[in-house]
């Protein structure tokens, strides 16, 4: 018998058209520009605090394995949630993958919105799922989810897993708690797990957490990458019924997060007020930027994420050229619900001011 990789690699991986970005050729972003392209939080006041913690990093952290018990206990206290309902994850992306790993076998149906966070379609392919997309429609104010279509799809398809970022990305749209309850109930009746991805919490403070005790089929994924300004640490967490969480812990590697992350989190979890203050600065920046864009006559969406959309319409080329020396952002979308819009991650008012000046100058 001769070596044949195709007979050895897991089937869904090979049979699907799963392409991933090159892992060598990508180039780092230019340091001189303001990075508003990946929905991070680089608020200077928050950075001072997180870097202050890093400067006092225990020298042993680099040489020793992590002990994450204290972080579980602190997080459980902050969230007012039984630690048996918590699983630390490598970013919320890692959390989403764990949910797929626990729930999805080849051929299983997975319902997700479209467009949505890029990894949902990727994990569908990776785990051999049959993806069922519920597409955003376009309204006068940008993308809108047809909620009754989502519910009907769940009832008809009886998928293993239903995924919804709330707010969703890149649309910025959101469901309220009543709709989330209806969604969880519909999933429960259809025997589906509901994954609510709250990556942007507490930039949007809507949460499905009050439903956790009601619905054993509910999982919530969160991250320290957005509001907490810790995207580089790659930490997040899953919240779910203790029954489901036990399964997620069965899938735990030897160590679920690294020692530097545990060190920083242990200190940052005592400083939630600092995080909330940063969120307030981002939201004030958002309000300022949106007001200025509307004054200039540009359409904007009502985004609940840590990003905003602006439609520069006939001025787009001039604006993009004026901003190119100053800021990285997403210039355009191919998806029909967002065509014509550009997207900027949130920054503070001070961060947005020079951008507003350049845009004003370009359209004058
Ligand atoms: C909706 C959504 N979920 C998950 C993630 C992944 O976040 P993390 O950096 O925690 O993996 C993102 C990141 O942009 C996101 O927008």
């Amino acid at each position: 018998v001769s070596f044949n990789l195709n007979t050895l690699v897991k089937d869904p991986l090979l049979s699907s058209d799963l392409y991933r970005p090159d892992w060598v050729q990508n180039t780092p972003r230019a340091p001189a520009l303001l990075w508003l392209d990946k929905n991070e939080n680089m608020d200077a006041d928050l950075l001072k605090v997180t870097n202050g913690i890093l400067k006092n990093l225990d020298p042993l952290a680099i040489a020793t394995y992590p002990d994450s018990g204290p972080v579980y206990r602190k997080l459980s206290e902050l969230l007012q949630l039984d630690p048996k309902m918590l699983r630390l994850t490598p970013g919320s992306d890692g959390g989403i993958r764990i949910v797929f790993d626990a729930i999805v076998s080849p051929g299983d149906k997975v319902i997700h919105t479209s467009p949505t966070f890029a990894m949902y379609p990727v994990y569908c392919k990776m785990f051999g799922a049959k993806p069922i997309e519920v597409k955003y429609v376009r309204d006068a104010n940008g993308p809108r989810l047809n909620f009754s279509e989502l519910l009907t799809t769940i009832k008809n398809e009886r998928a293993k897993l239903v995924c919804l970022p709330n707010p969703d990305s890149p649309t910025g749209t959101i469901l309220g708690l009543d709709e989330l309850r209806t969604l969880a109930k519909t999933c429960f009746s259809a025997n589906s797990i509901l994954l609510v991805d709250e990556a942007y919490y507490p930039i949007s403070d809507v949460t499905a957490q009050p439903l956790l005790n009601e619905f054993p089929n509910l999982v919530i994924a969160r991250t320290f990458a957005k509001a907490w300004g810790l995207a580089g640490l790659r930490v997040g967490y899953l919240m779910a019924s203790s029954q489901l969480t036990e399964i997620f812990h069965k899938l735990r590697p030897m160590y679920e997060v690294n020692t530097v992350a545990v060190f920083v989190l242990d200190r940052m979890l005592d400083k939630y007020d600092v995080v909330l203050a940063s969120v307030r600065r981002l939201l004030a920046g958002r309000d300022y930027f949106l007001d200025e864009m509307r004054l200039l006559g540009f359409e904007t969406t009502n985004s609940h994420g840590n990003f905003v959309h602006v439609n520069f319409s006939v001025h787009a080329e001039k604006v993009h050229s004026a901003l190119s020396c100053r800021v990285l952002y997403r210039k355009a979308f191919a998806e029909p619900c967002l065509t014509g819009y550009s997207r900027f991650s949130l920054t503070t008012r001070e961060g947005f001011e020079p951008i507003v000046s350049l845009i004003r100058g370009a359209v004058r």
Side-chain angles (χ1 to χ4, degrees):
V1 185
S2 56
F3 174 77
N4 180 349
L5 188 63
N6 288 344
T7 63
L8 298 171
V9 178
K10 276 209 286 182
D11 204 26
L13 261 176
L14 278 179
S15 56
S16 72
D17 50 346
L18 176 52
Y19 300 106
R20 305 306 315 284
D22 187 279
W23 57 93
V24 180
Q25 299 304 331
N26 71 321
T27 43
R29 293 174 281 184
L33 300 175
L34 183 60
W35 296 349
L36 301 186
D37 56 332
K38 292 195 184 177
N39 301 339
E40 296 139 323
N41 177 4
M42 281 166 281
D43 166 29
D45 288 350
L46 180 63
L47 264 179
K48 264 184 226 148
V49 176
T50 50
N51 277 280
I53 292 171
L54 261 189
K55 279 191 193 108
N56 289 312
L57 181 69
D58 178 353
L60 281 180
I62 217 84
T64 56
Y65 292 118
D67 195 356
S68 49
V71 166
Y72 273 104
R73 293 193 290 274
K74 269 191 193 173
L75 186 57
S76 137
E77 199 160 297
L78 180 69
L79 298 169
Q80 293 293 293
L81 190 76
D82 186 340
K84 290 202 161 57
M85 299 171 78
L86 276 178
R87 159 73 147 91
L88 289 172
T89 60
S92 51
D93 176 23
I96 297 162
R97 186 187 170 126
I98 288 161
V99 174
F100 270 78
D101 208 359
I103 306 296
V104 180
S105 300
D108 285 347
K109 291 177 185 172
V110 172
I111 296 173
H112 66 75
T113 48
S114 178
T116 188
F117 175 53
M119 292 309 285
Y120 288 102
V122 170
Y123 289 136
C124 280
K125 287 178 181 168
M126 225 182 247
F127 288 86
K130 179 169 178 271
I132 296 157
E133 293 184 352
V134 177
K135 287 196 163 56
Y136 280 91
V137 292
R138 184 168 181 141
D139 263 1
N141 304 320
R144 180 175 59 81
L145 184 65
N146 185 337
F147 187 54
S148 59
E149 183 193 340
L150 176 62
L151 296 183
T152 308
T153 307
I154 294 166
K155 283 178 200 153
N156 291 343
E157 298 290 349
R158 304 181 72 82
K160 270 278 197 76
L161 177 63
V162 177
C163 308
L164 180 76
N166 200 50
D168 211 339
S169 170
T171 59
T173 50
I174 197 165
L175 298 182
L177 185 57
D178 288 346
E179 288 170 309
L180 289 171
R181 182 176 282 108
T182 306
L183 188 60
K185 215 180 266 178
T186 308
C187 288
F188 187 79
S189 304
N191 199 32
S192 308
I193 297 288
L194 171 62
L195 169 59
V196 178
D197 170 350
E198 297 184 351
Y200 296 100
Y201 187 87
I203 293 160
S204 153
D205 61 4
V206 172
T207 174
Q209 192 182 337
L211 307 176
L212 278 175
N213 288 326
E214 245 174 282
F215 293 102
N217 61 321
L218 173 64
V219 188
I220 299 172
R222 287 201 191 147
T223 181
F224 292 98
K226 308 289 181 184
W228 294 71
L230 300 171
L233 281 186
R234 310 304 306 128
V235 262
Y237 56 97
L238 294 173
M239 306 191 277
S241 62
S242 51
Q243 232 183 330
L244 254 176
T245 306
E246 196 181 335
I247 306 290
F248 299 147
H249 276 279
K250 286 192 190 205
L251 289 169
R252 195 179 63 217
M254 182 73 92
Y255 303 105
E256 64 267 59
V257 287
N258 69 72
T259 312
V260 177
V262 166
F263 181 90
V264 175
L265 275 184
D266 185 52
R267 275 118 193 115
M268 276 306 287
L269 285 165
D270 295 332
K271 298 181 193 301
Y272 192 49
D273 55 326
V274 170
V275 175
L276 293 177
S278 175
V279 167
R280 283 193 295 273
R281 285 190 292 276
L282 296 183
L283 295 180
R286 176 188 70 185
D287 293 346
Y288 160 76
F289 186 58
L290 287 178
D291 283 350
E292 293 293 329
M293 292 303 101
R294 287 170 189 152
L295 277 174
L296 288 171
F298 297 135
E299 271 174 31
T300 61
T301 65
N302 183 21
S303 165
H304 296 264
N306 72 340
F307 50 85
V308 287
H309 307 102
V310 185
N311 190 335
F312 295 118
S313 63
V314 295
H315 298 285
E317 255 180 57
K318 279 183 290 176
V319 170
H320 294 326
S321 134
L323 293 182
S324 62
C325 60
R326 188 69 188 231
V327 54
L328 291 174
Y329 59 102
R330 179 144 171 197
K331 290 195 179 72
F333 290 87
E335 293 86 358
C337 67
L338 279 169
T339 45
Y341 284 102
S342 298
R343 186 195 67 192
F344 297 80
S345 307
L346 296 189
T347 179
T348 56
R349 181 181 171 127
E350 294 70 34
F352 272 127
E353 273 167 351
I355 298 172
V356 168
S357 301
L358 287 169
I359 296 172
R360 264 204 221 111
V363 303
R364 197 171 283 142

